[in-house]
Coordinates of all heavy atoms in Angstrom, one line a residue:
M1 N -9.2 -21.3 -17.8 CA -8.3 -20.2 -17.5 C -9.2 -18.9 -17.1 O -10.2 -18.6 -17.6 CB -7.5 -19.9 -18.7 CG -6.5 -18.8 -18.4 SD -5.5 -18.7 -19.8 CE -4.5 -17.3 -19.4
T2 N -8.7 -18.4 -16.0 CA -9.5 -17.1 -15.5 C -8.7 -15.9 -15.7 O -7.4 -15.9 -15.9 CB -9.7 -17.3 -13.9 OG1 -8.4 -17.4 -13.3 CG2 -10.5 -18.4 -13.7
T3 N -9.3 -14.8 -16.0 CA -8.7 -13.5 -16.1 C -9.0 -12.6 -15.1 O -10.2 -12.5 -14.6 CB -9.2 -12.9 -17.5 OG1 -9.0 -13.8 -18.6 CG2 -8.5 -11.6 -17.7
V4 N -8.0 -11.9 -14.5 CA -8.1 -11.0 -13.5 C -7.8 -9.6 -14.0 O -6.7 -9.4 -14.5 CB -7.2 -11.3 -12.2 CG1 -7.4 -10.2 -11.1 CG2 -7.5 -12.8 -11.7
T5 N -8.8 -8.8 -13.9 CA -8.5 -7.3 -14.3 C -8.0 -6.6 -13.1 O -8.4 -6.5 -12.1 CB -10.0 -6.7 -14.7 OG1 -10.4 -7.5 -15.7 CG2 -9.7 -5.2 -15.2
V6 N -6.8 -5.9 -13.4 CA -6.0 -5.2 -12.3 C -6.2 -3.6 -12.7 O -5.9 -3.1 -13.8 CB -4.5 -5.6 -12.3 CG1 -3.8 -4.8 -11.3 CG2 -4.5 -7.0 -12.0
H7 N -6.5 -2.9 -11.7 CA -6.7 -1.4 -11.9 C -5.5 -0.8 -11.2 O -5.0 -1.2 -10.2 CB -8.0 -0.9 -11.3 CG -9.3 -1.4 -12.0 ND1 -9.8 -0.8 -13.1 CD2 -10.0 -2.6 -11.9 CE1 -10.7 -1.5 -13.6 NE2 -10.9 -2.6 -12.9
C8 N -5.0 0.4 -11.8 CA -4.0 1.2 -11.1 C -4.6 1.7 -9.7 O -5.7 2.3 -9.7 CB -3.6 2.3 -12.1 SG -2.5 3.5 -11.1
P9 N -3.9 1.6 -8.5 CA -4.5 2.2 -7.3 C -4.3 3.7 -7.4 O -5.2 4.2 -6.4 CB -3.5 1.6 -6.3 CG -2.3 1.3 -7.0 CD -2.7 0.9 -8.5
R10 N -3.7 4.4 -8.3 CA -3.7 5.8 -8.1 C -4.6 6.5 -9.1 O -5.3 7.4 -8.8 CB -2.3 6.3 -8.5 CG -1.3 5.9 -7.3 CD 0.0 6.4 -7.6 NE 0.9 6.1 -6.5 CZ 1.6 5.0 -6.5 NH1 1.5 4.1 -7.5 NH2 2.5 4.7 -5.4
C11 N -4.6 6.0 -10.5 CA -5.6 6.7 -11.3 C -6.6 5.8 -11.8 O -7.6 6.4 -12.7 CB -4.7 7.3 -12.4 SG -3.8 6.0 -13.5
D12 N -6.8 4.6 -11.6 CA -7.9 3.7 -11.7 C -8.1 3.0 -13.2 O -8.8 2.1 -13.2 CB -9.1 4.2 -11.2 CG -10.1 3.0 -10.9 OD1 -9.7 2.2 -10.4 OD2 -11.3 3.3 -11.2
P13 N -7.4 3.4 -14.2 CA -7.6 2.6 -15.4 C -7.1 1.2 -15.4 O -6.2 0.9 -14.5 CB -7.1 3.5 -16.6 CG -6.0 4.4 -15.8 CD -6.5 4.6 -14.5
D14 N -7.4 0.3 -16.2 CA -7.0 -1.0 -16.2 C -5.9 -1.4 -17.2 O -5.7 -2.5 -17.5 CB -8.2 -2.0 -16.3 CG -8.9 -1.8 -17.7 OD1 -8.7 -0.7 -18.3 OD2 -9.7 -2.6 -18.0
D15 N -5.3 -0.4 -17.8 CA -4.3 -0.5 -18.7 C -2.9 -0.6 -18.0 O -2.0 0.3 -18.1 CB -4.3 0.5 -19.9 CG -4.1 1.9 -19.3 OD1 -4.4 2.1 -18.2 OD2 -4.0 2.8 -20.2
V16 N -2.6 -1.8 -17.5 CA -1.4 -1.9 -16.7 C -0.7 -3.1 -17.4 O -1.4 -4.1 -18.0 CB -1.6 -2.2 -15.2 CG1 -2.2 -1.0 -14.5 CG2 -2.5 -3.5 -15.0
Y17 N 0.6 -3.2 -17.3 CA 1.1 -4.4 -17.8 C 2.3 -4.8 -16.8 O 2.8 -4.1 -15.9 CB 2.0 -4.1 -19.1 CG 3.0 -3.0 -19.2 CD1 4.3 -3.3 -19.1 CD2 2.7 -1.7 -19.3 CE1 5.2 -2.3 -19.1 CE2 3.5 -0.7 -19.4 CZ 4.9 -0.9 -19.2 OH 5.8 0.0 -19.3
R18 N 2.9 -6.1 -16.9 CA 3.8 -6.7 -15.9 C 5.1 -6.0 -16.2 O 5.7 -6.0 -17.4 CB 3.8 -8.1 -16.3 CG 4.8 -8.8 -15.2 CD 4.8 -10.3 -15.4 NE 3.6 -10.9 -15.1 CZ 3.1 -11.9 -15.8 NH1 3.8 -12.7 -16.6 NH2 1.8 -12.4 -15.5
Q19 N 5.7 -5.4 -15.2 CA 7.0 -4.7 -15.4 C 8.2 -5.8 -15.1 O 8.9 -6.0 -16.0 CB 7.0 -3.7 -14.4 CG 8.5 -2.9 -14.2 CD 8.7 -2.1 -15.4 OE1 7.9 -1.7 -16.1 NE2 9.9 -1.5 -15.6
D20 N 8.1 -6.4 -14.0 CA 9.2 -7.4 -13.6 C 8.8 -8.0 -12.2 O 7.7 -7.8 -11.9 CB 10.5 -6.8 -13.5 CG 10.7 -5.5 -12.7 OD1 9.7 -5.2 -12.0 OD2 11.9 -5.1 -12.5
F21 N 9.9 -8.6 -11.7 CA 9.6 -9.1 -10.4 C 10.4 -8.3 -9.3 O 11.5 -8.0 -9.7 CB 9.8 -10.6 -10.3 CG 8.8 -11.3 -11.0 CD1 8.8 -11.8 -12.2 CD2 7.7 -12.0 -10.3 CE1 7.9 -12.5 -12.9 CE2 6.6 -12.7 -10.9 CZ 6.7 -12.9 -12.2
S22 N 10.0 -8.1 -8.2 CA 10.7 -7.6 -7.0 C 11.8 -8.5 -6.6 O 11.7 -9.8 -6.9 CB 9.8 -7.2 -5.9 OG 9.4 -8.3 -5.2
P23 N 12.7 -8.1 -5.8 CA 13.7 -9.0 -5.3 C 13.0 -10.1 -4.4 O 13.6 -11.2 -4.3 CB 14.7 -8.1 -4.6 CG 14.6 -6.8 -5.2 CD 13.2 -6.7 -5.6
T24 N 11.9 -9.9 -3.9 CA 11.3 -10.9 -3.0 C 10.3 -11.7 -3.8 O 9.5 -12.3 -3.3 CB 10.6 -10.2 -1.9 OG1 9.7 -9.2 -2.4 CG2 11.6 -9.6 -0.9
K25 N 10.4 -11.6 -5.1 CA 9.6 -12.4 -6.0 C 8.2 -12.1 -6.1 O 7.2 -12.9 -6.5 CB 9.8 -13.9 -5.9 CG 11.2 -14.3 -5.9 CD 11.9 -14.2 -7.1 CE 13.3 -14.6 -7.1 NZ 14.2 -13.9 -7.9
H26 N 7.8 -10.7 -5.9 CA 6.5 -10.3 -6.0 C 6.3 -9.6 -7.3 O 7.3 -9.0 -7.8 CB 6.0 -9.4 -4.9 CG 5.9 -10.1 -3.5 ND1 4.8 -10.8 -3.2 CD2 6.7 -10.1 -2.5 CE1 4.9 -11.3 -2.1 NE2 6.0 -10.9 -1.5
E27 N 5.2 -9.8 -8.0 CA 5.0 -9.3 -9.3 C 4.9 -7.8 -9.3 O 4.0 -7.3 -8.5 CB 3.8 -9.9 -10.0 CG 3.6 -9.6 -11.4 CD 2.5 -10.3 -12.0 OE1 1.3 -10.2 -11.4 OE2 2.6 -11.0 -13.0
R28 N 5.6 -6.9 -10.1 CA 5.4 -5.6 -10.2 C 4.7 -5.1 -11.4 O 5.1 -5.7 -12.5 CB 6.9 -4.9 -10.1 CG 7.4 -4.8 -8.7 CD 8.6 -3.9 -8.6 NE 9.6 -4.4 -9.2 CZ 11.0 -4.0 -8.7 NH1 11.1 -3.2 -7.8 NH2 12.0 -4.5 -9.4
L29 N 3.9 -4.3 -11.4 CA 3.0 -3.9 -12.5 C 3.2 -2.3 -12.8 O 3.5 -1.6 -11.8 CB 1.5 -4.1 -12.3 CG 1.1 -5.6 -11.9 CD1 -0.2 -5.6 -11.3 CD2 1.4 -6.5 -13.0
R30 N 3.2 -1.9 -14.2 CA 3.3 -0.6 -14.3 C 2.1 -0.1 -15.1 O 1.5 -0.8 -16.0 CB 4.5 -0.3 -15.3 CG 4.7 1.3 -15.6 CD 5.8 1.4 -16.5 NE 7.2 1.2 -15.9 CZ 7.8 2.2 -15.1 NH1 7.2 3.3 -15.0 NH2 9.0 1.8 -14.5
C31 N 1.5 1.0 -14.7 CA 0.4 1.7 -15.3 C 0.8 2.4 -16.5 O 1.8 3.1 -16.5 CB -0.2 2.7 -14.3 SG -1.6 3.5 -14.9
Q32 N 0.1 2.3 -17.6 CA 0.5 3.1 -18.8 C -0.1 4.5 -18.8 O 0.6 5.3 -19.5 CB -0.1 2.4 -20.0 CG 0.5 1.0 -20.3 CD 0.2 0.5 -21.7 OE1 -0.7 1.0 -22.4 NE2 0.9 -0.6 -22.1
S33 N -1.0 4.9 -17.9 CA -1.4 6.3 -17.8 C -0.5 7.1 -17.1 O -0.1 8.2 -17.4 CB -2.8 6.2 -17.3 OG -3.7 5.6 -18.1
C34 N -0.3 6.7 -15.8 CA 0.5 7.6 -14.8 C 2.0 7.1 -14.8 O 2.8 7.7 -14.1 CB 0.0 7.6 -13.5 SG -0.3 6.1 -12.6
R35 N 2.3 5.9 -15.5 CA 3.8 5.4 -15.5 C 4.2 5.1 -14.1 O 5.5 4.9 -14.0 CB 4.6 6.5 -16.2 CG 4.2 7.0 -17.5 CD 4.0 6.0 -18.6 NE 5.4 5.4 -19.0 CZ 5.5 4.4 -19.6 NH1 4.6 3.6 -20.0 NH2 6.8 3.9 -19.8
R36 N 3.4 4.8 -13.2 CA 3.9 4.3 -11.8 C 3.9 2.8 -11.8 O 3.0 2.2 -12.4 CB 3.0 5.0 -10.8 CG 3.1 6.4 -10.8 CD 3.2 6.9 -9.4 NE 3.2 8.3 -9.4 CZ 3.0 9.1 -8.4 NH1 2.6 8.4 -7.1 NH2 3.2 10.2 -8.3
V37 N 4.8 2.5 -10.9 CA 5.0 0.9 -10.7 C 4.3 0.6 -9.3 O 4.5 1.4 -8.4 CB 6.5 0.5 -10.6 CG1 6.6 -0.9 -10.4 CG2 7.0 0.8 -12.0
F38 N 3.6 -0.4 -9.3 CA 3.0 -0.9 -8.0 C 2.9 -2.3 -7.9 O 3.1 -3.0 -9.0 CB 1.5 -0.2 -7.9 CG 0.6 -0.8 -9.0 CD1 -0.2 -1.9 -8.7 CD2 0.4 -0.2 -10.3 CE1 -1.1 -2.3 -9.7 CE2 -0.3 -0.5 -11.1 CZ -1.2 -1.7 -10.9
Q39 N 2.7 -3.0 -6.9 CA 2.6 -4.3 -6.5 C 1.3 -4.7 -5.9 O 0.6 -3.8 -5.4 CB 3.6 -4.8 -5.5 CG 5.0 -4.7 -6.0 CD 6.0 -5.1 -4.8 OE1 7.1 -4.7 -5.0 NE2 5.7 -6.0 -4.0
L40 N 0.8 -5.8 -6.2 CA -0.6 -6.2 -5.6 C -0.3 -6.9 -4.3 O -1.1 -6.9 -3.4 CB -1.2 -7.2 -6.5 CG -1.6 -6.7 -7.8 CD1 -2.2 -7.8 -8.7 CD2 -2.6 -5.6 -7.7
N41 N 0.9 -7.6 -4.1 CA 1.2 -8.2 -2.8 C 2.6 -7.8 -2.3 O 3.4 -7.5 -3.0 CB 1.3 -9.7 -3.0 CG 0.0 -10.4 -3.4 OD1 -1.0 -10.0 -3.0 ND2 0.2 -11.3 -4.4
Y42 N 2.5 -7.5 -1.0 CA 3.9 -6.9 -0.4 C 4.2 -7.9 0.6 O 3.5 -8.6 1.5 CB 3.5 -5.6 0.3 CG 3.3 -4.5 -0.8 CD1 2.1 -4.2 -1.3 CD2 4.4 -3.7 -1.2 CE1 1.9 -3.2 -2.2 CE2 4.3 -2.8 -2.1 CZ 2.9 -2.5 -2.6 OH 2.7 -1.5 -3.4
T43 N 5.6 -8.0 0.9 CA 6.1 -8.8 1.9 C 5.7 -8.2 3.3 O 5.2 -9.0 4.2 CB 7.6 -8.9 1.8 OG1 8.0 -9.5 0.6 CG2 8.1 -9.7 2.9
Y44 N 5.9 -7.0 3.4 CA 5.5 -6.3 4.7 C 4.1 -5.5 4.4 O 4.2 -4.6 3.5 CB 6.7 -5.3 5.1 CG 8.0 -6.1 5.4 CD1 9.0 -5.9 4.5 CD2 8.1 -6.8 6.5 CE1 10.1 -6.6 4.7 CE2 9.2 -7.7 6.7 CZ 10.3 -7.4 5.8 OH 11.5 -8.2 6.0
Q45 N 3.3 -5.5 5.2 CA 1.9 -5.0 5.1 C 2.0 -3.5 5.2 O 1.1 -2.7 4.7 CB 0.9 -5.6 6.1 CG 0.7 -7.1 6.0 CD 0.2 -7.4 4.6 OE1 -0.6 -6.9 4.0 NE2 0.9 -8.5 3.9
A46 N 3.1 -3.1 5.9 CA 3.2 -1.5 6.1 C 3.4 -0.9 4.8 O 3.5 0.4 4.8 CB 4.3 -1.3 7.2
W47 N 3.9 -1.5 3.8 CA 4.3 -0.8 2.5 C 3.1 -0.7 1.6 O 3.2 -0.1 0.4 CB 5.4 -1.6 1.8 CG 6.6 -1.7 2.5 CD1 7.0 -0.8 3.5 CD2 7.7 -2.6 2.0 NE1 8.3 -1.1 3.8 CE2 8.7 -2.2 3.1 CE3 7.9 -3.5 1.2 CZ2 10.1 -2.8 3.0 CZ3 9.2 -4.0 1.2 CH2 10.2 -3.7 2.1
K48 N 1.9 -1.2 2.0 CA 0.8 -1.1 1.2 C 0.4 0.4 0.9 O 0.2 1.1 1.9 CB -0.4 -1.8 1.7 CG -0.4 -3.3 1.4 CD -1.7 -3.9 2.0 CE -1.7 -5.5 1.5 NZ -2.9 -6.0 2.0
P49 N 0.0 0.8 -0.2 CA -0.6 2.1 -0.5 C -1.8 2.4 0.2 O -2.7 1.6 0.3 CB -0.7 2.2 -2.0 CG 0.0 1.1 -2.6 CD 0.2 0.1 -1.5
G50 N -2.0 3.5 0.9 CA -3.3 3.9 1.6 C -3.2 3.4 3.0 O -4.2 3.7 3.7
L51 N -2.3 2.8 3.6 CA -2.2 2.4 5.0 C -2.1 3.4 6.0 O -2.7 3.5 7.0 CB -1.1 1.3 5.2 CG -1.1 0.6 6.5 CD1 -1.7 -0.7 6.5 CD2 0.3 0.7 7.1
K52 N -1.3 4.5 5.5 CA -1.2 5.6 6.5 C -2.5 6.3 6.8 O -2.8 6.6 8.0 CB -0.2 6.6 5.9 CG 1.1 5.9 5.6 CD 2.0 5.8 6.6 CE 3.4 5.2 6.1 NZ 4.3 4.7 7.1
E53 N -3.3 6.4 5.7 CA -4.6 7.1 5.9 C -5.6 6.2 6.7 O -6.3 6.7 7.4 CB -5.2 7.3 4.5 CG -4.5 8.4 3.6 CD -3.3 7.9 2.9 OE1 -3.2 6.7 2.8 OE2 -2.6 8.7 2.4
H54 N -5.3 4.9 6.5 CA -6.2 3.9 7.2 C -5.8 4.1 8.8 O -6.7 3.9 9.6 CB -6.0 2.5 6.8 CG -7.1 1.6 7.0 ND1 -7.4 0.4 6.4 CD2 -8.1 1.7 8.1 CE1 -8.4 -0.1 6.8 NE2 -8.8 0.4 7.9
I55 N -4.6 4.1 9.1 CA -4.2 4.3 10.5 C -4.8 5.5 11.2 O -5.3 5.6 12.2 CB -2.7 4.3 10.6 CG1 -2.0 2.9 10.3 CG2 -2.2 4.9 11.8 CD1 -0.5 2.9 10.2
V56 N -4.7 6.8 10.4 CA -5.2 8.0 10.9 C -6.8 7.8 11.1 O -7.3 8.2 12.1 CB -4.9 9.1 10.1 CG1 -5.6 10.3 10.4 CG2 -3.4 9.4 9.9
D57 N -7.5 7.2 10.2 CA -8.9 7.0 10.3 C -9.2 6.2 11.4 O -10.2 6.5 12.3 CB -9.5 6.4 9.1 CG -9.5 7.2 7.8 OD1 -9.3 8.5 8.0 OD2 -9.6 6.9 6.7
M58 N -8.6 5.2 11.7 CA -8.8 4.2 12.9 C -8.6 5.0 14.2 O -9.3 4.8 15.1 CB -8.0 3.0 12.9 CG -8.4 2.0 11.8 SD -7.6 0.5 11.9 CE -8.2 -0.2 13.4
T59 N -7.5 5.8 14.2 CA -7.3 6.6 15.3 C -8.3 7.6 15.8 O -8.9 7.9 16.7 CB -6.0 7.3 15.3 OG1 -5.0 6.3 15.0 CG2 -5.5 8.0 16.5
F60 N -8.9 8.2 14.6 CA -10.0 9.3 14.8 C -11.2 8.5 15.2 O -12.2 9.1 15.9 CB -10.3 9.9 13.6 CG -9.4 11.2 13.4 CD1 -8.6 11.2 12.2 CD2 -9.2 12.1 14.4 CE1 -7.9 12.4 12.0 CE2 -8.3 13.2 14.2 CZ -7.6 13.3 13.0
N61 N -11.5 7.3 14.9 CA -12.7 6.6 15.4 C -12.5 5.8 16.7 O -13.2 5.0 17.1 CB -12.9 5.5 14.4 CG -13.5 6.1 13.1 OD1 -14.2 7.1 13.3 ND2 -13.3 5.5 12.0
G62 N -11.3 6.2 17.6 CA -11.2 5.7 18.8 C -10.4 4.4 19.1 O -10.2 4.0 20.1
A63 N -9.6 4.0 18.0 CA -9.0 2.6 18.2 C -7.5 3.1 18.7 O -7.0 4.1 18.4 CB -8.8 2.0 16.9
G64 N -7.1 2.2 19.6 CA -5.7 2.6 20.3 C -4.6 2.2 19.2 O -4.8 1.6 18.3
V65 N -3.3 2.4 19.7 CA -2.1 2.0 18.9 C -2.1 0.5 18.8 O -1.9 0.0 17.6 CB -0.9 2.6 19.5 CG1 0.3 2.2 18.8 CG2 -0.9 4.1 19.4
G66 N -2.4 -0.2 19.8 CA -2.2 -1.8 19.8 C -3.4 -2.3 19.0 O -3.2 -3.3 18.2
D67 N -4.6 -1.8 19.1 CA -5.7 -2.2 18.3 C -5.5 -2.0 16.8 O -5.7 -2.9 15.9 CB -7.0 -1.5 18.7 CG -7.4 -1.7 20.0 OD1 -7.0 -2.8 20.7 OD2 -8.1 -1.0 20.7
T68 N -4.9 -0.8 16.5 CA -4.7 -0.5 15.1 C -3.6 -1.4 14.5 O -3.8 -2.0 13.4 CB -4.1 1.0 14.9 OG1 -5.1 1.8 15.5 CG2 -4.0 1.3 13.4
A69 N -2.5 -1.6 15.3 CA -1.4 -2.5 14.9 C -1.9 -4.0 14.6 O -1.5 -4.7 13.6 CB -0.3 -2.5 15.8
R70 N -2.6 -4.5 15.5 CA -3.2 -5.8 15.4 C -4.2 -6.0 14.2 O -4.1 -7.0 13.5 CB -3.9 -6.4 16.8 CG -2.9 -7.0 17.8 CD -3.8 -7.5 18.8 NE -4.7 -6.5 19.5 CZ -4.2 -5.7 20.5 NH1 -3.0 -5.8 20.9 NH2 -5.1 -4.9 21.0
T71 N -5.0 -5.0 14.2 CA -6.1 -5.1 13.0 C -5.3 -5.1 11.6 O -5.8 -5.9 10.7 CB -7.1 -3.9 13.2 OG1 -7.6 -4.0 14.5 CG2 -8.1 -4.1 12.1
L72 N -4.4 -4.3 11.4 CA -3.8 -4.0 10.1 C -2.7 -4.9 9.9 O -2.0 -4.9 8.8 CB -3.4 -2.5 10.0 CG -4.6 -1.5 10.0 CD1 -4.1 0.0 9.9 CD2 -5.5 -1.7 9.0
K73 N -2.2 -5.6 10.9 CA -1.0 -6.6 10.9 C 0.2 -5.9 10.5 O 1.0 -6.3 9.7 CB -1.3 -7.7 9.7 CG -2.6 -8.6 10.3 CD -2.8 -9.7 9.2 CE -3.8 -10.6 9.6 NZ -5.1 -10.1 9.6
V74 N 0.4 -4.8 11.2 CA 1.6 -4.1 11.1 C 2.2 -3.9 12.6 O 1.5 -4.1 13.6 CB 1.5 -2.6 10.5 CG1 1.0 -2.7 9.0 CG2 0.5 -1.7 11.2
G75 N 3.3 -3.4 12.7 CA 4.1 -3.2 14.0 C 3.6 -1.8 14.6 O 3.1 -0.9 13.9
I76 N 3.7 -1.9 16.0 CA 3.4 -0.6 16.7 C 4.4 0.5 16.3 O 4.0 1.6 16.2 CB 3.6 -0.9 18.2 CG1 2.5 -1.7 18.7 CG2 3.5 0.3 19.0 CD1 2.6 -2.2 20.2
N77 N 5.8 0.1 15.9 CA 6.5 1.0 15.4 C 6.3 1.6 14.1 O 7.0 2.4 13.5 CB 8.0 0.4 15.5 CG 8.5 0.2 16.8 OD1 8.1 1.0 17.7 ND2 9.3 -0.8 17.1
T78 N 5.3 1.1 13.4 CA 4.8 1.7 12.1 C 3.7 2.8 12.6 O 3.5 3.7 11.9 CB 4.2 0.7 11.2 OG1 5.4 -0.2 10.9 CG2 3.7 1.2 10.0
V79 N 2.8 2.3 13.5 CA 1.6 3.2 13.8 C 2.1 4.4 14.4 O 1.6 5.4 14.0 CB 0.8 2.4 14.8 CG1 -0.6 3.3 15.2 CG2 0.2 1.2 14.1
I80 N 3.0 4.3 15.5 CA 3.3 5.6 16.2 C 3.9 6.7 15.4 O 3.4 7.9 15.4 CB 4.0 5.2 17.5 CG1 3.3 4.3 18.4 CG2 4.6 6.4 18.1 CD1 4.1 3.9 19.6
P81 N 4.9 6.4 14.6 CA 5.5 7.6 13.8 C 4.6 8.0 12.7 O 4.6 9.2 12.5 CB 6.7 6.8 12.9 CG 7.1 5.7 13.9 CD 5.8 5.2 14.5
T82 N 3.5 7.1 12.1 CA 2.5 7.7 11.2 C 1.7 8.7 12.0 O 1.4 9.8 11.5 CB 1.7 6.6 10.8 OG1 2.5 5.7 10.3 CG2 0.6 7.0 9.8
L83 N 1.4 8.5 13.2 CA 0.3 9.4 14.0 C 1.2 10.8 14.3 O 0.7 11.8 14.3 CB -0.1 8.8 15.2 CG -1.0 7.6 15.0 CD1 -1.5 6.9 16.2 CD2 -2.2 8.1 14.1
K84 N 2.6 10.5 14.7 CA 3.3 11.7 14.9 C 3.5 12.7 13.7 O 3.5 13.8 13.8 CB 4.8 11.4 15.5 CG 4.8 10.9 16.8 CD 6.0 10.6 17.3 CE 6.1 10.0 18.7 NZ 7.4 9.7 19.2
I85 N 3.6 12.1 12.5 CA 3.8 12.8 11.2 C 2.5 13.5 10.9 O 2.5 14.6 10.5 CB 4.4 11.9 10.2 CG1 5.8 11.6 10.5 CG2 4.3 12.6 8.9 CD1 6.3 10.5 9.6
S86 N 1.4 12.8 11.1 CA 0.2 13.4 10.7 C -0.6 14.3 11.6 O -1.7 14.6 11.5 CB -1.0 12.2 10.4 OG -1.1 11.6 11.6
R87 N 0.3 14.6 12.8 CA -0.4 15.5 13.8 C -0.6 16.9 13.2 O 0.2 17.5 12.6 CB 0.7 15.6 15.0 CG 0.1 16.5 16.2 CD 1.1 16.5 17.3 NE 2.4 16.8 16.8 CZ 3.5 16.4 17.6 NH1 3.5 15.9 18.7 NH2 4.7 16.8 17.1
P88 N -1.7 17.4 13.5 CA -2.1 18.8 13.0 C -1.3 19.9 13.6 O -1.0 19.8 14.8 CB -3.6 19.1 13.2 CG -4.0 18.0 14.3 CD -3.0 16.9 14.1
R89 N -0.8 20.9 12.9 CA 0.0 22.0 13.5 C -0.9 23.1 13.9 O -2.0 23.3 13.4 CB 0.9 22.5 12.4 CG 1.9 21.4 11.8 CD 3.2 21.3 12.4 NE 3.9 20.3 11.8 CZ 4.9 19.7 12.3 NH1 5.1 19.9 13.6 NH2 5.4 18.6 11.8
G90 N -0.4 23.8 14.8 CA -1.2 24.9 15.2 C -1.3 25.0 16.7 O -1.2 25.3 17.6
Ligands
LIG101 ZN1 -2.1 4.9 -12.9

């Protein structure tokens, strides 16, 4: 039997416990420190935490919208609104 240590994606301690299952049968976990619920696997890759920052980083490094969508396995309609929202003001 193997043991997998799961860390909270927001505050990083490993004191998490199983909350329940999502309607799509993915396991949901709750962190005891920050009391937030998160999943390890998502049905849609666009729901993963940190994906928006990854899209902005790839754009700053010269990747196009299509390149970013193919690499991250999300739709173009996820990439374009993310870039419109993260546009600097001024
Ligand atoms: Zn936490």
Side-chain angles (χ1 to χ4, degrees):
M1 182 174 176
T2 59
T3 304
V4 176
T5 303
V6 178
H7 294 270
C8 175
R10 293 182 179 90
C11 60
D12 201 42
D14 60 350
D15 53 348
V16 297
Y17 62 93
R18 181 179 298 148
Q19 174 75 14
D20 58 356
F21 286 90
S22 70
T24 56
K25 306 301 180 208
H26 291 282
E27 188 177 52
R28 287 197 282 209
L29 306 167
R30 181 178 289 273
C31 174
Q32 289 193 352
S33 297
C34 64
R35 309 294 298 164
R36 297 224 177 163
V37 177
F38 62 96
Q39 292 180 203
L40 297 178
N41 297 318
Y42 288 86
T43 301
Y44 301 108
Q45 299 302 312
W47 292 348
K48 279 188 174 178
L51 186 100
K52 310 280 183 188
E53 293 81 11
H54 204 155
I55 290 173
V56 172
D57 288 343
M58 287 185 71
T59 303
F60 278 128
N61 288 325
V65 172
D67 295 337
T68 304
R70 274 191 300 275
T71 303
L72 299 177
K73 296 182 174 66
V74 296
I76 290 175
N77 292 327
T78 301
V79 175
I80 292 173
T82 301
L83 296 176
K84 284 183 178 178
I85 290 171
S86 66
R87 181 176 51 197
R89 306 267 179 207

